[in-house]
Amino acid sequence: MGTDLTTSTAVGWEQRPWVADPDHAALPARIAGLDLPLPSDLAAETEEATAAVVRFDAELSHALLGLTGEIAPLDAVLLRTESASSSQIEHITAGARALALATLGERTRPNAALVAANVRAMGAAPRLAAELDEAALLAAHRALMDGQEHARPGAYRDVQGWIGGGAPTPHTAHFVPPHPERLPADMDDLFAYLRRTDVPALVQAAIAHAQFETIHPFADGNGRTGRVLVHAVLHRAGTITRMGVPLSAGLLTDMAGYFDALTAYRDGDPAPIVSRFAQAALAAVGNGRQLVTDLDEVLTGWRERLTARRDAAVWRALAVIIAQPAVTVDHLAQVLGVSRPASQRAVDQLVEVGALQPLNAQRRNRVWLATEVLACLDEFAARAGRRG
């Protein structure tokens, strides 16, 4: 490849002036030619986890059978759960109802709007998977941080940042990423690593994520953008075909282990972050599979109670309310491509079988909730350790 092989991910350090006092900023290791032989047990662990993810991704193609229309409800559900979990890692929480309302465009808590933005950012991951270049990464960050000018959406940071410590200078910080002037070279090295095809996908995703978090190229949104990058790597490799496989929910099962693994990576030992990602993948598959089972039970109950004609709009509406468990009559009419009276009939039929309940008593622009779906999503979050 024309790239010198390296064997360590340990950062170096250089002196930089903060106000009147010198301190240090990280010099991330070059990883474009990283040679990382894994211990046999860790190699087996990553292979097992990768196989589990591939199987789960394939299972999703056959899940929730019997739905009609062109909507892929599980893709939307998993995209939302993954975005919520990724946000929770950054202490941004939103329950399923608040997130559904925010996605519908209803007013809700600010955190729900931030998680909804993460859904949009995760939706940008297919382009990132196709390109794995700077323009695609910046586009994902722009989608995530749109409207938050402090984060310079779609642009690298132009000031020094640091992680933790709670002080106006980095003297007590947990970690000080590289100086802004070093970001172009650091990111070029990362993209060179991402272009390699000789690294197992899950290993490459873990190393790329850890290196991205070490470089910390953005003023805000690094963690969430870095987890979009993970999905892009796995998608490009063919390990997943859906961006919503809930890997961040797997990371939530051991947050202390995740952060300890990032620290170990920066100290020169990448094995813990690879192991943590393998464990997260296995946990994500188990949790995701339970979510699919729960949603299938809900859908079966609705179908058994519905007595409408087989060509009625309500049958197609089932997929809509699984994918978006907060709807209005107008929203449903638009998505289904039917008249407002036809949409109202579908809502009435869904209310009759217990699939929808009104959010409030208002008559105009009333919002309807699929509370059984919301309960499934909140149970998924509870299993992952997310609270909101």
Side-chain angles (χ1 to χ4, degrees), residues 7 33 39 48 100 104 115 132 179 190 195 237 244 264 278 355 363 365-366 385:
T7 58
E48 177 189 0
L104 185 63
V115 178
L132 278 180
H179 191 271
L190 175 57
R195 287 191 293 270
R363 301 294 300 174
N365 299 322
R366 176 178 286 183

Side-chain angles (χ1 to χ4, degrees), residues 71-296:
I71 295 169
L74 272 179
D75 286 357
V77 168
L78 291 170
L79 182 67
R80 188 169 304 173
T81 56
E82 171 62 6
S83 301
S85 297
S86 181
S87 297
Q88 167 63 13
I89 293 173
E90 310 302 322
H91 306 291
I92 301 171
T93 61
R97 188 174 87 158
L99 178 54
L101 292 171
T103 308
L104 185 63
E106 295 291 310
R107 252 188 201 178
T108 185
R109 294 179 299 173
N111 272 5
L114 293 176
V115 178
N118 204 2
V119 175
R120 293 192 295 274
M122 196 66 73
R127 175 186 169 188
L128 183 57
E131 305 294 339
L132 278 180
D133 62 9
E134 181 175 85
L137 180 70
L138 295 179
H141 184 259
R142 188 179 304 112
L144 173 69
M145 305 306 294
D146 183 41
Q148 301 182 58
E149 295 309 312
H150 74 281
R152 304 188 76 226
Y156 295 144
R157 58 181 167 85
D158 59 357
V159 296
Q160 181 66 55
W162 52 90
I163 303 170
T169 68
H171 292 294
T172 60
H174 301 314
F175 181 73
V176 182
H179 191 271
E181 71 183 28
R182 296 191 177 274
L183 294 179
D186 289 341
M187 292 302 293
D188 284 348
D189 175 73
L190 175 57
F191 287 122
Y193 177 73
L194 289 169
R195 287 191 293 270
R196 289 175 56 177
T197 57
D198 62 328
V199 183
L202 191 59
V203 175
Q204 188 176 42
I207 296 298
H209 174 76
Q211 184 75 354
F212 178 89
E213 294 303 313
T214 297
I215 298 170
H216 226 67
F218 298 115
D220 195 5
N222 290 283
R224 285 164 285 167
T225 306
R227 285 180 287 277
V228 173
L229 180 62
V230 167
H231 284 76
V233 171
L234 296 178
H235 191 276
R236 188 192 66 162
T239 305
I240 60 175
T241 61
R242 291 167 169 79
M243 287 300 171
V245 173
L247 294 171
S248 294
L251 290 173
L252 276 173
T253 60
D254 183 7
M255 285 302 303
Y258 169 61
F259 290 122
D260 286 347
L262 284 176
T263 298
Y265 176 88
R266 291 163 184 159
D267 289 340
D269 182 7
I273 195 67
V274 174
S275 178
R276 186 69 203 95
F277 266 71
Q279 294 164 10
L282 290 170
V285 166
N287 198 357
R289 193 170 277 137
Q290 183 61 55
L291 174 62
V292 173
T293 298
D294 293 344
L295 289 173
D296 188 57

